[in-house]
Amino acid sequence: MAELNGYEPVGASLDIYRRSREPGVQRLAQELPPVGATVDLVIGEVRTWHRKPWIWVDLTAPSHDPSDRP
């Protein structure tokens, strides 16, 4: 689960299992930050949700290697 500063009514998370092939997510999974840490993530997908908050933001981790980007 994640908190989006300034967008508190919106739910958000980074699904490490579903996005495990993305280079930035692989790196983040190997260097798991401590609970409560602030990390920079990017929006992977915005979708409707079946309960409040009705909108869910699927996050992903940016790659630091420009050759990994599409």
Side-chain angles (χ1 to χ4, degrees), residues 15-22 45 47 58:
D15 186 338
I16 291 177
Y17 295 105
R18 195 163 54 80
R19 294 190 169 272
S20 64
R21 294 182 184 205
E22 297 173 14
E45 180 181 359
R47 53 193 163 104
D58 186 21

Side-chain angles (χ1 to χ4, degrees), residues 9 29 31 33 51 54 59 63 68:
E31 306 166 7
R51 58 184 171 176
W54 309 117
L59 300 168
S63 173
D68 289 337

Side-chain angles (χ1 to χ4, degrees), residues 3-67:
E3 178 180 307
L4 300 177
N5 295 335
Y7 297 93
E8 284 74 16
V10 175
S13 66
L14 169 65
D15 186 338
I16 291 177
Y17 295 105
R18 195 163 54 80
R19 294 190 169 272
S20 64
R21 294 182 184 205
E22 297 173 14
V25 175
Q26 287 176 353
R27 177 187 43 77
L28 186 63
Q30 292 172 355
E31 306 166 7
L32 288 176
V35 172
T38 298
V39 295
D40 290 325
L41 300 172
V42 295
I43 295 172
E45 180 181 359
V46 176
R47 53 193 163 104
T48 59
W49 192 241
H50 61 278
R51 58 184 171 176
K52 285 188 178 183
W54 309 117
I55 296 173
W56 198 265
V57 178
D58 186 21
L59 300 168
T60 188
S63 173
H64 292 296
D65 183 352
S67 67

